[in-house]
Amino acid sequence: MIELDEVSVRYGSHEAVRPMNLKIETGEFFTLLGPSGCGKTTILRAIAGFVPVASGRITIDGRDVTEIPAERRGVGMVFQNYALFPHMTVAENVAFGLKVARKSGKEISLAVNAVLEATGIERHGRKKPAELSGGQQQRVAIARSLVMGTRVLLFDEPLSNLDAKVREDMRHEIKRLQRDVGFTSVFVTHDQEEALSMSDRLLVINAGRAEQSGTARELYHSPATPFVCQFVGAANEIGRNLAQALGLDTARRHFVRPEHVALAREGDPHGVDATVADVDYLGSMTRVFLEALGEPLQCQVLSDPSVDQLAAGMSVKVNLSCERILSFDGPS
Amino acid sequence: MRPSGISRFPLVRSALLVVVVWCAASFIYAPIFSVLRFAFAPGGDIGLGAIGELAGSRRVRTAIVNTFVVTGLSIITVNVIGIFQVAVLEYLKVGGRGFLRFAYSTPLIFVSVAAATGYGFVYGQNGTLTKLLQSVWPALPNDWFTGTLAVVFAHTFLLTSFHFLFLRAAIRRVDYSTVEAARGLGASSMEAFVRVVLPVLLPTIFATTLLVTYKSLGSFAIPSVLGGRRFDMVTELILTLNSLRRPDMAAMLSIGLGLAVILCIAAMQYVERRGSYVGGSKTPVPIERIRIASPVVNLAVHAAAYAIAVIQLVPIALVVLFSFAPARSIATEVLPSSFTLQNYVTVFSQSTAFVPLKNSLLMGASATMAGLMISLFVVNLAHRHTNVGTTSLDLSFMAPWILPVPFIAIGLILTYDEPNLLVANRVLLGGFWILPIGYAVVSIPIMMRFLRAAFFSLDPALNEAAQSLGAPAFYRFLRVTVPLVLPVMILITGMTLNVILSEYSMSAFLFNVNNKPLSIALFEGARSANPEQAAINLVYISLIMAFSLGIITLADRYGLGGGK
């Protein structure tokens, strides 16, 4: 288990991470999610030992590692740009840590072959990193850490340099490896789709502060703060006019997901009048940009022939299911 | 984790640090202090008497005027030729581009005293071209190629290497669509060059101009060999004053030269900070060569381009040709009528001829190795730990970059011409090691610049990756950092050795009977009327050029500073 107890990180006078508590269970796939510059990579690097903490304590499996140098923490790291040693072959990259640990040649050879096979790159052992595709380099980076028998693997936005198809494949590959090997993963990303699809639990970070942790479903359906509501999935903030029309408390902030805004049937007496501002066809779904009571509103509906007829300037009615509205303290 | 927790300073590193600090104190700070002491307090009392004596000397005034005249003229002529060469190679469609590129690149291998001796061999009193011209115009005096004319002429065709390296790189970055836009708006190809391309290149032209200024102000080998007996420039005069036992005047003059050089470097850094013009285009179009529409202009450009190539190639071709000719033909023939390897055999078999080469190789190798070790240690330390101590150490070894060679040389002479506690109460002047020490001191800044660039281009994640895999600091340095900067280390080793082989300024101040280097042997040979000596000189120059060519080819092939 990884535990952060009131950990903060400072860069000069700037507090990059405010005092934070966090528990990551053994074998868990945990994601740090947040916008660029929020401090998620700093937290990861503090766990790895590359960034000194200003206060607090980091423990891994009960061992206080706060003052222990990175090379003695037993934590693997997969970097955004993979950080493969360009002057070494794939096999030499993977064997690097074992050589540092002074393992025997036979032991190294067996371990390297096993991990190259497990990560599906056994054919590329003699190649230099520059000869590999992005996805293959990613596998080498993972293999290099796994071969050390590390139980904790930290991923710093490892999929951000891959194209869409390879990224999708690598998501499944990382999850498969994590399931098979059983290591604890701490994954950093700003891509919410990636985070939601891969993680057992997530922590949303904003401006160096932990906003909310929980499962993907908890964060999506029961966000604790307006920031989490807007950052995890799309959300319409309901303006004052619309809130009054819906009978909502205007002293609070209200949000509704686009998929919870429905286009009403003609003549629906409960519908709110709206005008179509724009239509985005997304294949199976269509996103409709509306203006209701002078306020912008997005709705996302299944594409069908009636939706296909919508065009900018058309008048429609919309229904907002009140039980789906997410409300927070504080004025709108 | 806190950095202090990681950085355990082992005993070996502490010992190395002590050695490096001692080097800085003994061979940088002590010489600087000596120069200042002799310039401003020669007898113990502070005063500016040396300035008055320098100002009162007609020879000094003439040397200063000569230096400024040569520098001013060189700036103009080198820029005219250099910019023209770059336009011919990269902007205009001129036939035989490969040949011209080869010819224009020769100042990279034909440098310093070797080049000066080569020019003397062609244009000097018994030079091939002089004989050829005298056959047409018998009234031409033997010493027609001397003084300001000779020095500026040699500078003009030997200092274009900066344009060849930097201006060519800059013009390749010009977005060709801007030229097309100018031509679409009615500008001719020449107008587009002058109004669109040149303004974009101005920062680079200014930077190369400053390099030319820097080189011309401190020019030593060329005026010594080609200037004639009555022609002095400042650097030569510093040496003369020192040999006349006026160290105070030599020190003061070297301070004056140092101030001029510092001004140049400050201006260069200002230009560097201003940066260059960057086009806003997301997809810049590479520069294309333009066909010259006017047949007359086209002919004139071709004629000028080939004339420059001939001027640059002829001295080299004649040096190489005559290095294979019997010694007697050197003084008598315009072109050799027979060939032999005897001159090369003499250089490698006769101890008097081989000793300078051996000395230069030995001193060059030891200075390069020492310089490289110090640079590697200091750069690595400063890269890993940024604090007042490492920054001071870094700046200490960079100091010789802003000090002219005569300043450092005079400093070393004044510091070590008597027993000195810094070197166990020994006298270094007159010994073998004083010159390699001087070579190392002036080589370290350039080594550090390249190494620093290589270190900064390293992806810090590589070091962190090795660290997360359990590798301790020294293991990471040996297995990750060194292999990645090794190409740069090899190349700067070769380049430094190459520079030292023909280094003249430091050599002229510090050489003695125990360590006479190749450059001094070349200089002495250039003044000798003995054809055997001339033949040996030609072999020396050919060997230096061959070595330079090898290093440049290597640098070109592996890309210096790539850190690959």
Side-chain angles (χ1 to χ4, degrees):
Chain A
M1 184 165 72
I2 303 169
E3 204 167 345
L4 273 65
D5 180 16
E6 289 295 311
V7 166
S8 72
V9 180
R10 301 187 76 90
Y11 293 125
S13 60
H14 171 64
E15 192 169 41
V17 176
R18 298 181 195 188
M20 183 178 287
N21 295 304
L22 184 64
K23 276 184 188 170
I24 300 167
E25 299 296 334
T26 302
E28 192 175 24
F29 198 110
F30 192 88
T31 296
L32 302 170
L33 175 67
S36 295
C38 71
K40 53 191 187 298
T41 295
T42 304
I43 296 169
L44 195 80
R45 290 170 64 77
I47 296 172
F50 297 131
V51 170
V53 298
S55 66
R57 215 165 65 104
I58 300 172
T59 56
I60 297 175
D61 292 333
R63 182 170 74 124
D64 186 344
V65 297
T66 318
E67 294 292 329
I68 292 179
E71 61 266 33
R72 286 195 271 138
R73 287 197 183 189
V75 171
M77 178 117 170
V78 178
F79 293 83
Q80 188 170 9
N81 61 353
Y82 322 129
L84 299 180
F85 306 127
H87 55 295
M88 298 180 193
T89 63
V90 166
E92 285 167 345
N93 262 279
V94 176
F96 182 90
L98 297 173
K99 285 182 181 168
V100 173
R102 297 180 187 279
K103 301 283 183 195
S104 70
K106 193 176 173 188
E107 220 175 330
I108 291 173
S109 172
L110 283 172
V112 169
N113 287 338
V115 80
L116 288 180
E117 197 177 326
T119 46
I121 45 171
E122 65 275 22
R123 289 184 298 114
H124 305 297
R126 291 184 177 189
K127 289 182 183 170
K128 290 276 175 71
E131 297 171 66
L132 304 180
S133 68
Q136 288 164 341
Q137 290 187 31
Q138 183 67 264
R139 287 166 196 259
V140 179
I142 295 170
R144 191 171 62 175
S145 291
L146 288 183
V147 79
M148 301 297 293
T150 179
R151 306 305 299 163
V152 175
L153 209 48
L154 311 175
F155 294 88
D156 184 10
E157 305 212 32
L159 307 180
S160 58
N161 286 341
L162 303 176
D163 60 47
K165 177 73 179 74
V166 182
R167 191 157 62 220
E168 180 74 26
D169 292 345
M170 280 310 296
R171 274 186 205 169
H172 294 294
E173 185 63 17
I174 290 172
K175 280 295 285 179
R176 179 188 70 77
L177 281 167
Q178 197 249 348
R179 264 197 315 270
D180 292 353
V181 183
F183 54 84
T184 306
S185 301
V186 185
F187 194 93
V188 159
T189 182
H190 61 265
D191 183 329
Q192 43 172 294
E193 188 189 317
E194 200 167 280
L196 296 179
S197 68
M198 295 179 80
S199 317
D200 297 324
R201 279 196 312 135
L202 309 92
L203 171 68
V204 178
I205 303 165
N206 180 30
R209 193 175 48 222
E211 290 271 339
Q212 184 181 1
S213 69
T215 63
R217 282 180 179 76
E218 283 167 357
L219 294 180
Y220 191 77
H221 294 297
S222 310
T225 66
F227 176 83
V228 176
C229 179
Q230 287 179 299
F231 192 76
V232 180
N236 292 293
E237 180 157 13
I238 297 171
R240 178 175 284 269
N241 296 339
L242 203 51
Q244 279 175 341
L246 295 168
L248 300 171
D249 179 0
T250 54
R252 306 185 77 200
R253 292 179 74 181
H254 306 282
F255 295 85
V256 63
R257 304 279 185 204
E259 64 269 29
H260 298 146
V261 178
L263 292 171
R265 290 180 191 146
E266 263 185 60
D268 184 340
H270 304 296
V272 177
D273 289 326
T275 308
V276 176
D278 205 355
V279 180
D280 278 0
Y281 176 70
L282 305 173
S284 62
M285 305 296 287
T286 298
R287 189 176 295 142
V288 187
F289 296 86
L290 303 158
E291 198 175 289
L293 305 178
E295 286 158 3
L297 192 68
Q298 267 185 55
C299 96
Q300 190 160 302
V301 292
L302 281 170
S303 298
D304 67 27
S306 66
V307 175
D308 289 348
Q309 288 170 8
L310 290 175
M314 283 177 69
S315 295
V316 292
K317 279 183 180 287
V318 291
N319 273 331
L320 282 78
S321 38
C322 284
E323 65 274 18
R324 298 287 200 171
I325 289 173
L326 304 161
S327 300
F328 302 92
D329 287 338
S332 58
Chain B
M1 180 204 68
R2 288 172 173 83
S4 56
I6 304 169
S7 57
R8 290 167 300 152
F9 242 62
L11 196 64
V12 176
R13 203 187 299 175
S14 301
L16 282 174
L17 185 62
V18 169
V19 171
V20 167
V21 169
W22 169 76
C23 285
S26 304
F27 306 122
I28 295 171
Y29 285 113
I32 291 173
F33 176 72
S34 295
V35 170
L36 296 176
R37 185 165 62 90
F38 271 85
F40 296 108
D45 299 324
I46 293 176
L48 296 172
I51 294 180
E53 284 192 79
L54 286 171
S57 160
R58 199 159 63 89
R59 192 173 172 191
V60 171
R61 288 201 307 272
T62 310
I64 291 172
V65 169
N66 283 344
T67 304
F68 281 106
V69 168
V70 164
T71 301
L73 289 173
S74 298
I75 288 169
I76 296 166
T77 55
V78 174
N79 265 323
V80 168
I81 299 295
I83 293 170
F84 179 75
Q85 288 181 340
V86 170
V88 163
L89 292 180
E90 304 297 334
Y91 186 73
L92 302 170
K93 271 197 175 153
V94 176
R97 187 168 171 243
F99 166 76
L100 293 173
R101 191 170 51 219
F102 170 72
Y104 297 167
S105 70
T106 52
L108 295 171
I109 60 165
F110 198 46
V111 292
S112 185
V113 70
T117 311
Y119 270 62
F121 177 70
V122 177
Y123 300 101
Q125 293 210 358
N126 297 312
T128 311
L129 198 85
T130 302
K131 278 183 258 170
L132 200 65
L133 289 173
Q134 281 175 333
S135 66
V136 181
W137 182 23
L140 186 75
N142 276 341
D143 61 349
W144 70 280
F145 192 75
T146 189
T148 307
L149 164 81
V151 176
V152 172
F153 184 85
H155 278 184
T156 302
F157 294 100
L158 292 173
L159 295 182
T160 50
S161 49
F162 302 120
H163 292 75
F164 186 82
L165 288 175
F166 305 123
L167 200 57
R168 272 179 73 220
I171 200 172
R172 285 175 183 174
R173 290 195 298 268
V174 171
D175 184 358
Y176 186 64
S177 58
T178 59
V179 176
E180 287 179 324
R183 296 185 76 189
L185 293 166
S188 70
S189 56
M190 286 300 176
E191 274 177 311
F193 183 75
V194 173
R195 289 174 182 274
V196 177
V197 178
L198 268 187
V200 176
L201 297 180
L202 267 183
T204 312
I205 292 172
F206 192 53
T208 51
T209 301
L210 286 165
L211 284 168
V212 171
T213 311
Y214 175 81
K215 281 282 180 187
S216 296
L217 282 174
S219 188
F220 192 3
I222 291 171
S224 297
V225 176
L226 301 175
R229 294 196 188 277
R230 288 183 300 278
F231 184 86
D232 283 326
M233 281 176 71
V234 165
T235 309
E236 200 178 0
L237 201 64
I238 294 171
L239 179 65
T240 308
L241 286 167
N242 186 60
S243 54
L244 292 172
R245 300 196 180 280
R246 287 307 306 266
D248 55 332
M249 290 174 76
M252 187 58 85
L253 202 54
S254 70
I255 289 173
L257 184 61
L259 287 175
V261 169
I262 287 170
L263 270 178
C264 258
I265 288 169
M268 260 192 280
Q269 296 214 317
Y270 175 72
V271 172
E272 259 182 16
R273 269 200 301 276
R274 272 181 59 195
S276 55
Y277 299 106
V278 178
S281 171
K282 291 272 188 281
T283 51
V285 181
I287 195 93
E288 283 178 27
R289 293 191 301 136
I290 291 171
R291 187 176 299 283
I292 304 165
S294 158
V296 177
V297 176
N298 193 24
L299 185 68
V301 167
H302 272 78
Y306 279 89
I308 292 169
V310 167
I311 290 171
Q312 291 191 307
L313 278 179
V314 162
I316 296 173
L318 288 176
V319 162
V320 175
L321 268 180
F322 275 101
S323 75
F324 291 102
R328 62 183 147 66
S329 73
I330 292 171
T332 54
E333 294 180 336
V334 173
L335 282 174
S337 55
S338 58
F339 294 97
T340 174
L341 285 173
Q342 186 53 45
N343 302 329
Y344 285 84
V345 173
T346 306
V347 165
F348 287 104
S349 61
Q350 243 182 41
S351 64
T352 48
F354 183 65
V355 162
L357 182 60
K358 188 190 80 179
N359 280 345
S360 278
L361 284 172
L362 188 60
M363 289 191 291
S366 44
T368 305
M369 282 302 119
L372 191 64
M373 290 300 115
I374 291 171
S375 305
L376 200 58
F377 181 83
V378 174
V379 168
N380 183 47
L381 200 67
H383 186 66
R384 285 164 48 84
H385 310 278
T386 308
N387 55 48
V388 178
T390 56
T391 307
S392 307
L393 200 60
D394 189 69
L395 290 176
S396 300
F397 282 100
M398 285 303 288
W401 187 59
I402 59 163
L403 298 172
V405 170
F407 185 105
I408 296 161
I410 287 285
L412 285 168
I413 291 169
L414 299 176
T415 311
Y416 297 111
D417 64 345
E418 56 187 14
N420 193 312
L421 278 176
L422 283 167
V423 288
N425 235 15
R426 293 178 61 184
V427 179
L428 294 186
L429 196 67
F432 183 85
W433 292 106
I434 184 87
L435 189 49
I437 288 169
Y439 287 154
V441 168
V442 293
S443 304
I444 284 174
I446 190 81
M447 288 182 166
M448 280 178 58
R449 284 203 88 174
F450 278 115
L451 275 179
R452 200 188 286 166
F455 269 74
F456 275 97
S457 71
L458 287 180
D459 181 357
L462 294 174
N463 194 44
E464 290 178 350
Q467 198 178 357
S468 73
L469 292 166
F474 191 61
Y475 191 91
R476 295 199 298 274
F477 178 70
L478 283 185
R479 290 297 311 275
V480 179
T481 306
V482 168
L484 293 173
V485 298
L486 195 61
V488 177
M489 284 167 61
I490 292 170
L491 287 170
I492 56 175
T493 301
M495 282 176 65
T496 309
L497 199 55
N498 179 34
V499 169
I500 290 176
L501 275 185
S502 54
E503 203 285 337
Y504 180 71
S505 303
M506 187 66 80
S507 310
F509 280 91
L510 298 179
F511 89 96
N512 55 64
V513 69
N514 297 311
N515 62 7
K516 190 164 91 178
L518 197 55
S519 54
I520 297 301
L522 268 174
F523 178 75
E524 289 174 354
R527 293 194 161 188
S528 161
N530 178 1
E532 298 289 340
Q533 188 58 49
I536 289 170
N537 258 16
L538 298 179
V539 174
Y540 286 155
I541 299 171
S542 301
L543 290 175
I544 290 171
M545 284 195 297
F547 188 79
S548 303
L549 192 64
I551 294 297
I552 287 162
T553 309
L554 199 70
D556 195 45
R557 188 162 177 182
Y558 293 106
L560 191 55
K564 285 179 265 188

